[in-house]
Amino acid sequence: MKLTTWIIPAIMLLGLSACGIADEKPEVGKETEETTPVSQEPVVEEMNEDEVVEEEVTIKEPESLYELNEANWTLQPIGAANPKAVLLTIDDAPEKYAVEMAKTLKELNAPAIFFVNGHFIDTDEEKVNLKAIYDMGFSIGNHTQTHANLKESSEEQQKEEIIKVNETVEAVIGEKPKFFRAPFGVNTDFSRSLVLQEGMLLMNWTYGYDWEKQYRTAESLTDIMVNTEYLTNGANLLMHDREWTAEALRGIVEGLRAKGYDLIDPKTIKGIQ
């Protein structure tokens, strides 16, 4: 009887202890090894984003195919570039006909440099014209603010003539001119130094005729530009924003190509990349 009385409490105590262990539950919110979520980071998407960004910042610079010969202002081929090629340039832009000339050249897929004067880009309308020429893919050059003879100007005046154009052009198209041509082809030691500091390539020309009275018709100008004895490999052709030049432009381009000449893209000239 005494043994039975001792066994029963012991059995009951054991049962209560087992129930306590079985009913024990994890604390709410406490992560266990089984409940910890597996990371689902979009690894593939991040890699694709990196690849896209890398492609956006990779810009291929135009290859240098020609370099300027300062002895005669012609363009010399680099490596395997075609030597039978010429450069087209338009001065005094954008006065009246430059946008029309740019459209003609664009239609003909004929690259050129438009050298601008500051007094032709000082109104909103003229700035729109400059931007239109640039947006058609043409290179912009600096031809001074007022078309002044630099040898007759003080250093301060020369600086104003050159820097003001650069500032205006940059404000309109987002970059400074890459080329400089002095009015009348007249440079000074100071202007040369300043042009170099500004990162521009200074150039004059090989030949041009459209300011002479006998060539102020489309027919006469086309003929002399294509058939002159000065047409040589790498020739640097000077033209202006003039009515008769605008009318002659298509014939000049087609005539040069008929003679086997390519037209040099200014963006491939060494020193401006």
CSV table of all heavy atoms in Angstrom, one decimal, residues 20 53 65 68 85 99 126 131 133 141 150 164 177-179 193 198 219 223 227 253 260 271:
chain,number,residue,atom,x,y,z
A,20,GLY,N,5.2,20.0,-20.5
A,20,GLY,CA,5.8,21.3,-20.5
A,20,GLY,C,6.8,21.4,-21.6
A,20,GLY,O,6.9,22.4,-22.3
A,53,VAL,N,25.1,50.8,-68.3
A,53,VAL,CA,25.8,52.1,-68.0
A,53,VAL,C,27.1,52.1,-68.7
A,53,VAL,O,27.5,53.1,-69.2
A,53,VAL,CB,25.9,52.2,-66.4
A,53,VAL,CG1,26.9,53.3,-66.1
A,53,VAL,CG2,24.6,52.3,-65.8
A,65,LEU,N,42.3,61.2,-89.7
A,65,LEU,CA,42.7,60.8,-91.0
A,65,LEU,C,43.5,61.8,-91.8
A,65,LEU,O,44.2,61.4,-92.8
A,65,LEU,CB,41.4,60.5,-91.8
A,65,LEU,CG,40.5,59.4,-91.3
A,65,LEU,CD1,39.2,59.3,-92.1
A,65,LEU,CD2,41.2,58.1,-91.1
A,68,LEU,N,46.8,69.1,-90.8
A,68,LEU,CA,47.0,70.4,-91.5
A,68,LEU,C,48.5,70.6,-91.8
A,68,LEU,O,49.3,70.5,-90.9
A,68,LEU,CB,46.4,71.5,-90.6
A,68,LEU,CG,46.3,72.9,-91.3
A,68,LEU,CD1,45.3,72.8,-92.4
A,68,LEU,CD2,45.8,73.9,-90.2
A,85,ALA,N,41.5,64.3,-101.8
A,85,ALA,CA,40.3,64.8,-101.0
A,85,ALA,C,40.5,66.3,-100.7
A,85,ALA,O,41.6,66.8,-100.7
A,85,ALA,CB,40.2,64.0,-99.7
A,99,VAL,N,22.2,78.8,-93.6
A,99,VAL,CA,21.3,77.7,-93.3
A,99,VAL,C,20.9,77.0,-94.6
A,99,VAL,O,20.9,75.8,-94.6
A,99,VAL,CB,20.1,78.2,-92.5
A,99,VAL,CG1,19.1,77.0,-92.3
A,99,VAL,CG2,20.5,78.7,-91.1
A,126,GLU,N,19.4,84.6,-85.0
A,126,GLU,CA,20.7,84.2,-85.5
A,126,GLU,C,21.3,83.0,-84.7
A,126,GLU,O,21.9,82.2,-85.3
A,126,GLU,CB,21.7,85.4,-85.5
A,126,GLU,CG,21.3,86.5,-86.6
A,126,GLU,CD,22.1,87.8,-86.4
A,126,GLU,OE1,22.6,88.0,-85.2
A,126,GLU,OE2,22.1,88.6,-87.3
A,131,LYS,N,22.5,77.2,-84.3
A,131,LYS,CA,22.1,75.9,-83.7
A,131,LYS,C,21.6,74.9,-84.8
A,131,LYS,O,22.0,73.7,-84.8
A,131,LYS,CB,21.1,76.0,-82.7
A,131,LYS,CG,20.7,74.8,-81.9
A,131,LYS,CD,21.9,74.3,-81.1
A,131,LYS,CE,21.4,73.3,-80.0
A,131,LYS,NZ,20.7,72.1,-80.4
A,133,ILE,N,22.5,74.8,-88.0
A,133,ILE,CA,23.7,74.4,-88.8
A,133,ILE,C,24.4,73.3,-88.0
A,133,ILE,O,24.8,72.3,-88.5
A,133,ILE,CB,24.6,75.6,-89.1
A,133,ILE,CG1,23.9,76.6,-90.0
A,133,ILE,CG2,25.9,75.1,-89.7
A,133,ILE,CD1,24.6,77.9,-90.2
A,141,GLY,N,33.5,77.0,-86.7
A,141,GLY,CA,34.8,77.7,-86.5
A,141,GLY,C,34.6,79.1,-86.1
A,141,GLY,O,33.5,79.7,-86.3
A,150,LEU,N,43.4,91.6,-87.3
A,150,LEU,CA,44.0,91.5,-86.0
A,150,LEU,C,45.3,92.2,-85.9
A,150,LEU,O,45.7,92.6,-84.8
A,150,LEU,CB,44.2,90.0,-85.7
A,150,LEU,CG,42.9,89.1,-85.6
A,150,LEU,CD1,43.2,87.7,-85.4
A,150,LEU,CD2,42.0,89.7,-84.6
A,164,LYS,N,35.0,86.3,-77.2
A,164,LYS,CA,33.6,86.6,-77.2
A,164,LYS,C,32.8,85.6,-78.1
A,164,LYS,O,31.7,85.1,-77.8
A,164,LYS,CB,33.3,88.0,-77.6
A,164,LYS,CG,31.8,88.4,-77.4
A,164,LYS,CD,31.6,89.9,-77.6
A,164,LYS,CE,30.1,90.3,-77.4
A,164,LYS,NZ,29.9,91.7,-77.5
A,177,PRO,N,34.0,76.5,-80.5
A,177,PRO,CA,34.5,76.2,-81.9
A,177,PRO,C,35.8,75.4,-81.8
A,177,PRO,O,36.7,75.6,-80.9
A,177,PRO,CB,34.8,77.6,-82.5
A,177,PRO,CG,33.9,78.5,-81.8
A,177,PRO,CD,33.9,78.0,-80.4
A,178,LYS,N,36.0,74.5,-82.8
A,178,LYS,CA,37.2,73.7,-82.8
A,178,LYS,C,38.3,74.3,-83.8
A,178,LYS,O,39.4,73.8,-83.9
A,178,LYS,CB,36.9,72.3,-83.1
A,178,LYS,CG,36.0,71.6,-82.1
A,178,LYS,CD,35.7,70.2,-82.4
A,178,LYS,CE,34.8,69.5,-81.4
A,178,LYS,NZ,35.4,69.5,-80.0
A,179,PHE,N,37.9,75.2,-84.6
A,179,PHE,CA,38.7,75.8,-85.6
A,179,PHE,C,38.7,77.3,-85.5
A,179,PHE,O,37.8,77.9,-85.1
A,179,PHE,CB,38.3,75.4,-87.0
A,179,PHE,CG,38.2,73.9,-87.3
A,179,PHE,CD1,37.1,73.2,-87.0
A,179,PHE,CD2,39.4,73.2,-87.7
A,179,PHE,CE1,37.0,71.8,-87.2
A,179,PHE,CE2,39.3,71.9,-87.9
A,179,PHE,CZ,38.2,71.1,-87.7
A,193,SER,N,48.9,82.4,-80.2
A,193,SER,CA,49.0,81.9,-78.9
A,193,SER,C,47.7,81.7,-78.2
A,193,SER,O,47.4,80.7,-77.5
A,193,SER,CB,49.9,82.8,-78.0
A,193,SER,OG,50.0,82.4,-76.7
A,198,GLU,N,43.1,78.3,-76.4
A,198,GLU,CA,41.6,78.0,-76.5
A,198,GLU,C,41.3,76.6,-77.1
A,198,GLU,O,40.2,76.2,-77.2
A,198,GLU,CB,40.9,79.1,-77.3
A,198,GLU,CG,40.8,80.4,-76.5
A,198,GLU,CD,39.8,80.3,-75.4
A,198,GLU,OE1,38.6,80.0,-75.6
A,198,GLU,OE2,40.3,80.5,-74.2
A,219,GLU,N,27.3,80.2,-112.2
A,219,GLU,CA,28.0,79.6,-113.3
A,219,GLU,C,29.5,79.8,-113.2
A,219,GLU,O,30.3,78.9,-113.3
A,219,GLU,CB,27.4,80.0,-114.6
A,219,GLU,CG,26.0,79.6,-114.9
A,219,GLU,CD,25.0,80.5,-114.1
A,219,GLU,OE1,25.4,81.6,-113.6
A,219,GLU,OE2,23.8,80.1,-114.0
A,223,ASP,N,32.5,77.1,-112.1
A,223,ASP,CA,33.6,76.7,-113.0
A,223,ASP,C,34.9,76.9,-112.4
A,223,ASP,O,35.8,76.1,-112.5
A,223,ASP,CB,33.4,77.6,-114.3
A,223,ASP,CG,34.5,77.3,-115.3
A,223,ASP,OD1,34.5,76.1,-115.9
A,223,ASP,OD2,35.3,78.1,-115.6
A,227,ASN,N,37.6,74.0,-111.6
A,227,ASN,CA,38.6,73.9,-112.7
A,227,ASN,C,39.9,74.7,-112.5
A,227,ASN,O,40.7,74.8,-113.4
A,227,ASN,CB,38.0,74.2,-114.0
A,227,ASN,CG,36.9,73.3,-114.4
A,227,ASN,OD1,37.0,72.1,-114.3
A,227,ASN,ND2,35.7,73.8,-114.8
A,253,VAL,N,30.1,70.9,-105.4
A,253,VAL,CA,30.3,69.6,-104.8
A,253,VAL,C,30.2,68.5,-105.9
A,253,VAL,O,31.1,67.6,-105.9
A,253,VAL,CB,29.2,69.4,-103.8
A,253,VAL,CG1,29.2,67.9,-103.3
A,253,VAL,CG2,29.4,70.3,-102.6
A,260,GLY,N,36.8,63.0,-109.1
A,260,GLY,CA,37.3,62.0,-108.2
A,260,GLY,C,37.8,62.4,-106.8
A,260,GLY,O,38.4,61.7,-106.1
A,271,GLY,N,44.1,67.0,-84.3
A,271,GLY,CA,44.3,68.2,-83.4
A,271,GLY,C,43.1,68.7,-82.9
A,271,GLY,O,43.1,69.7,-82.1
